[in-house]
Amino acid sequence: MIGVIGVDCTLDEIEFKMARYQWGSVYSFLINKEGETIFHPLMKPSSNLKEDPIFIPISQLEKEKSGGTAPANFSIIENGMRKGSSFGSLYVADARNGIPATYFYAALNDSEFGFAFSLSPTDQEYRRSKEPEDKTPFQSVDTRSYYNLLIEYNSTEARKELPGVFKYLQVKYNVDRYPGLRVTYEHSSIFLAPKCHCDSVEYIFNDDLAKKTVLAHKWINGDEPDLGCSDASGQRYEKGIRADVLITQPIEVEWKKRRFEALDKVKWTYVGLRSGVFRTYPGHRSGRSYDPTARPWYRRAAADPSKTSISTPYMDAAGVGKIITISQALFEGMTPRNWSDCLEQHGDGPYPGGCLCLKDADCKSRSCYVSQGPGPNKTKHRCATERVEGVTSLDILYSDFHDKIMEIMKSSDANSTRSCSSTSTYTCPNGEPGCRTRCYLFDTSANMIVDPDFTLVKDIEVSKYSGVTMGKKEGEIMRELIFKHGFFIRKDSVEFQGTCSIAGGQRVSLEGLPKNPEEQDNYYKTKGPIPKFSNDYGCIQDLVSFSVNRSALGPSGMITGNVTGPCMQGFYYVTALPRTNLFLLVIENWKNVQQSNFFNFNCRITQKIVNAGAYRIINGTCADEAESTVTLSEQNKCPQLTNIEIPCDYQTASTHTLSLLISTSLTFFYILYHFIM
């Protein structure tokens, strides 16, 4: 052997290519011959990893959502991929996502990798958006779509190719409502995620933003036939991308004339489609690696599409402050179906999209409504399709959302001290002073959505309002809801790609660090005048999470109780908010237990026992020889280890080795000298 030729392929490129052709519940994964996972939708994107990746066994990932056991017969699939089977398929009645699916798998030619994807019966028909036959309504200056890199419309190339556009958009910078950002109130803006492009990697690392803007603008507003990414087409975008841009354009009119009586400080209104097309108003810039389908607001709504989803408070990606996102899933177009076919194939239900319905429970999608889609029974209630085409959302400043919620829950007696919005105290039932009423909203994972204390926290103190759980705030009540009422169900898992912090504290905000999408884009090119600081590092974590058991609310739809513990005392009520992912917790006669000058260990322990979160595992996990009767290794929760014999002779020096090195070096320079001469 003379040498070895190698080619480096970034994990980003693999992720973009494998995520591109997925729809509905379809997903794919890539493993090597050792069963180690290279790509899987449950793994973190490589760009978010703090350390070199730990390759997790595919069997571990495939059992994450099925109660700790892999789907039946999955070992057949894994063994086939590891042995390099040319092609195979297997139907699994209870796949990872809980629905029937067929796994298709094969080995990649002349490599040690195997590829597979899971296809459910409801996703066997792939439907792509179709462009309107008449594009005339979209070709006037008022109805065109505009790319999100607003400042690039003022570049030399754009002024030449697209004269007058920048002036028409009336781009504003650093207005009070959007400090540090460029926005336009004239139009929404279009962003195309990396997976919308035929060459995602070229898009990510291409810093010619002016040319990128001109090409995108001409394509989304053009009339050139959409041929997709075939080699012969020479086009830059996936087939159907322009169709999604045109389909979402009419909603801009509604956004521009919106009037929200209940909410004054709506920051952004937007829609993200499964193709990666992202339209937002007011028009503004998004980071080049942004993918709407990977964002929590999209995944939350898509996972429970029949409900309106409200996020936990978080720092806006565009940098406008602490916000809440309200999201609603958008279903794929209605499938025409005759009622007789629905009865014959599905009996008493639930029914697929297009069938008649009376209530949400009649439908597989849990959504029954009147649609103008084609087909019989056009004027009657029909079931929505099971596939989510996109998610529409709006972002609201947390302070505004909190104030409106508290105003809604205000007592009819304006002078009442027992109202949720009151900051006054009243006499406790035992005659002591200092009681008050505390009100919270929390989601299906026990995350606090509305908490009076969040209004007192600075926006940059993200850890004090984002991802705060009920166990941390009201440990005694959380404990009763778990162990007494069975309202919360605990789940434990191991995260091999976790992120730990050296210490808590505020987000670093030095001048020169990228804070908004424009600065982040420039950071790719300049790396910033100040090195990027991070107090995070990769670690292995024990994940503790909770999910709601709605049936525990019982016929009354409410749980009540009285608690007295080391942290607080009070009488509580818990109930669900209809058609949302939220629950209301009201605590009357709430009072902090009097604390001494010493740390309240009992309170701290009570909260820790029932708190969700990620906890660093120290001293290893796989070869642990502690006194525990069952190790993680025995539970098959550890990545597979590959034994590699490392020779140690290179760590010692000898005269022979040194002379050989000198001789080799002199020979190399001698050849180099004569080559140059």
Side-chain angles (χ1 to χ4, degrees), residues 515-536:
K515 297 181 286 295
N516 59 48
E518 185 172 334
E519 293 176 353
Q520 291 169 9
D521 262 350
N522 293 337
Y523 190 81
Y524 275 87
K525 180 168 58 177
T526 64
K527 301 303 179 185
I530 300 177
K532 189 174 183 180
F533 172 81
S534 175
N535 61 353
D536 297 334

Side-chain angles (χ1 to χ4, degrees), residues 226-472:
D226 184 3
L227 303 178
C229 291
S230 64
D231 294 336
S233 72
Q235 295 181 348
R236 302 175 63 87
Y237 306 100
E238 287 287 335
K239 188 175 180 62
I241 295 301
R242 184 168 57 199
D244 283 343
V245 173
L246 297 177
I247 289 170
T248 59
Q249 195 281 331
I251 199 174
E252 180 185 283
V253 177
E254 301 300 322
W255 287 348
K256 291 172 68 174
K257 66 181 183 183
R258 66 185 180 185
R259 294 293 183 270
F260 297 106
E261 296 179 0
L263 299 167
D264 303 323
K265 299 180 181 179
V266 174
K267 287 294 184 180
W268 311 114
T269 309
Y270 48 91
V271 58
L273 301 186
R274 64 180 172 90
S275 62
V277 172
F278 181 65
R279 182 183 290 273
T280 181
Y281 181 83
H284 71 283
R285 185 174 188 158
S286 298
R288 70 176 73 184
S289 60
Y290 187 85
D291 182 353
T293 62
R295 299 294 294 175
W297 55 266
Y298 188 100
R299 293 186 172 182
R300 188 184 302 107
D304 196 356
S306 63
K307 293 182 173 60
T308 299
S309 296
I310 293 89
S311 74
T312 59
Y314 66 98
M315 175 67 78
D316 175 46
V320 300
K322 183 169 46 183
I323 61 172
I324 286 279
T325 297
I326 301 177
S327 305
Q328 181 67 59
L330 303 175
F331 293 99
E332 193 179 69
M334 188 72 70
T335 304
R337 296 183 191 273
N338 293 314
W339 177 239
S340 57
D341 295 336
C342 296
L343 286 176
E344 180 181 348
Q345 299 176 16
H346 303 281
D348 296 331
Y351 302 108
C355 293
L356 290 173
C357 56
L358 296 176
K359 56 184 182 298
D360 291 341
D362 295 337
C363 306
K364 289 183 177 181
S365 62
R366 311 293 293 180
S367 181
C368 176
Y369 69 108
V370 177
S371 169
Q372 296 300 314
N377 306 308
K378 186 175 180 179
T379 60
K380 299 180 180 180
H381 283 74
R382 293 182 289 173
C383 293
T385 56
E386 298 93 300
R387 286 191 289 248
V388 173
E389 179 67 21
V391 173
T392 182
S393 304
L394 57 86
D395 291 346
I396 312 156
L397 281 184
Y398 175 78
S399 57
D400 187 39
F401 183 78
H402 177 274
D403 292 344
K404 297 300 181 183
I405 292 295
M406 291 302 166
E407 184 177 338
I408 293 172
M409 295 191 292
K410 184 182 296 184
S411 171
S412 57
D413 180 3
N415 298 319
S416 175
T417 58
R418 292 180 175 269
S419 173
C420 284
S421 59
S422 175
T423 57
S424 303
T425 61
Y426 51 85
T427 303
C428 301
N430 59 6
E432 294 183 358
C435 278
R436 64 179 61 192
T437 299
R438 296 275 289 186
C439 300
Y440 303 95
L441 290 181
F442 63 92
D443 66 11
T444 53
S445 300
N447 293 311
M448 306 305 286
I449 307 298
V450 172
D451 180 342
D453 293 339
F454 290 170
T455 60
L456 307 177
V457 177
K458 296 179 180 179
D459 291 351
I460 60 174
E461 298 177 306
V462 178
S463 62
K464 294 185 179 180
Y465 61 81
S466 182
V468 176
T469 65
M470 185 188 296
K472 186 174 182 179

Side-chain angles (χ1 to χ4, degrees), residues 533-660:
F533 172 81
S534 175
N535 61 353
D536 297 334
Y537 62 95
C539 62
I540 301 176
Q541 296 172 314
D542 179 21
L543 297 184
V544 179
S545 60
F546 294 92
S547 59
V548 161
N549 172 23
R550 290 179 180 267
S551 62
L553 293 173
S556 66
M558 182 180 293
I559 294 176
T560 61
N562 190 44
V563 295
T564 300
C567 302
M568 52 76 67
Q569 64 182 30
F571 187 84
Y572 65 88
Y573 310 81
V574 174
T575 189
L577 300 188
R579 299 186 68 85
T580 73
N581 65 328
L582 298 187
F583 297 82
L584 172 66
L585 169 62
V586 179
I587 312 173
E588 293 184 339
N589 305 319
W590 180 91
K591 184 180 181 180
N592 269 329
V593 173
Q594 186 66 36
Q595 299 186 20
S596 67
N597 293 328
F598 297 99
F599 185 79
N600 191 340
F601 283 101
N602 289 338
C603 177
R604 183 71 168 174
I605 292 172
T606 298
Q607 293 174 339
K608 280 291 185 181
I609 290 175
V610 295
N611 191 22
Y615 303 93
R616 182 186 175 195
I617 300 176
I618 304 176
N619 296 331
T621 60
C622 305
D624 188 6
E625 298 182 358
E627 297 179 356
S628 174
T629 57
V630 181
T631 67
L632 291 174
S633 179
E634 293 171 339
Q635 299 176 46
N636 294 322
K637 290 186 177 181
C638 296
Q640 294 181 355
L641 301 179
T642 303
N643 293 324
I644 301 176
E645 296 294 335
I646 302 178
C648 296
D649 53 356
Y650 65 87
Q651 296 177 345
T652 60
S654 66
T655 305
H656 174 73
T657 303
L658 183 60
S659 60
L660 178 62

